[in-house]
């Protein structure tokens, strides 16, 4: 496999992931960003913890979808993330989720 073939394959995988995201985003209520991953979820519990003077975040998601081009199964029942880095949680308004016109997504 040439470098160009590999680059084309990765580009196709990323495009397929974006299309999947676009198709499923309307099923979820929250967008969650961590330093390692991007998630869609319907339930989010964020707890700020402290141990030995260090602050960290414990994040539990239920009914989630994971943005990861290398995962074969992106839908997960629950996710637990522990991180010392920033966590961003946004609740999506359903009006924000309309990515297409007339219910159909442009391809």
């Amino acid at each position: 496999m040439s470098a160009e073939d590999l680059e084309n394959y990765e580009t196709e995988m990323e495009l397929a992931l974006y299309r999947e995201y676009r198709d499923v985003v309307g099923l979820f209520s929250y967008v969650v960003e961590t330093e390692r991953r991007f998630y869609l979820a319907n339930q989010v519990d964020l707890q700020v913890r402290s141990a030995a003077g260090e602050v960290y975040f414990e994040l539990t998601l239920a009914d989630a979808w994971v943005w990861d081009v290398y995962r074969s199964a992106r839908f997960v029942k629950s996710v637990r993330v522990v991180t010392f880095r920033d966590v961003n949680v946004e609740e999506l308004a359903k009006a924000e989720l309309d990515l297409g016109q007339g219910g159909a997504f442009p391809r």
Side-chain angles (χ1 to χ4, degrees):
M1 180 177 259
S2 72
E4 184 178 334
D5 290 339
L6 182 58
E7 186 174 320
N8 288 340
Y9 173 76
E10 288 177 349
T11 301
E12 288 175 22
M13 293 281 293
E14 288 174 6
L15 182 58
L17 181 61
Y18 170 74
R19 286 181 177 148
E20 182 178 330
Y21 166 81
R22 187 180 60 190
D23 291 344
V24 303
V25 68
L27 302 172
F28 298 94
S29 300
Y30 298 92
V31 172
V32 179
E33 278 183 279
T34 69
E35 79 278 1
R36 296 192 59 197
R37 296 275 191 282
F38 176 87
Y39 303 90
L40 298 171
N42 283 321
Q43 287 183 303
V44 177
D45 179 38
L46 177 62
Q47 300 293 320
V48 179
R49 307 279 191 210
S50 181
E54 296 287 331
V55 174
Y56 65 95
F57 303 98
E58 185 174 346
L59 182 65
T60 305
L61 310 175
D63 186 22
W65 182 87
V66 184
W67 179 287
D68 186 341
V69 73
Y70 299 107
R71 280 181 78 100
S72 59
R74 284 183 272 281
F75 287 96
V76 291
K77 185 175 181 175
S78 65
V79 177
R80 181 174 173 259
V81 177
V82 177
T83 181
F84 287 92
R85 305 242 178 151
D86 291 341
V87 175
N88 184 44
V89 178
E90 296 180 30
E91 185 172 5
L92 297 172
K94 291 300 178 185
E96 293 177 34
L97 300 178
D98 185 14
L99 297 177
Q101 295 182 14
F105 296 118
R107 301 252 179 215

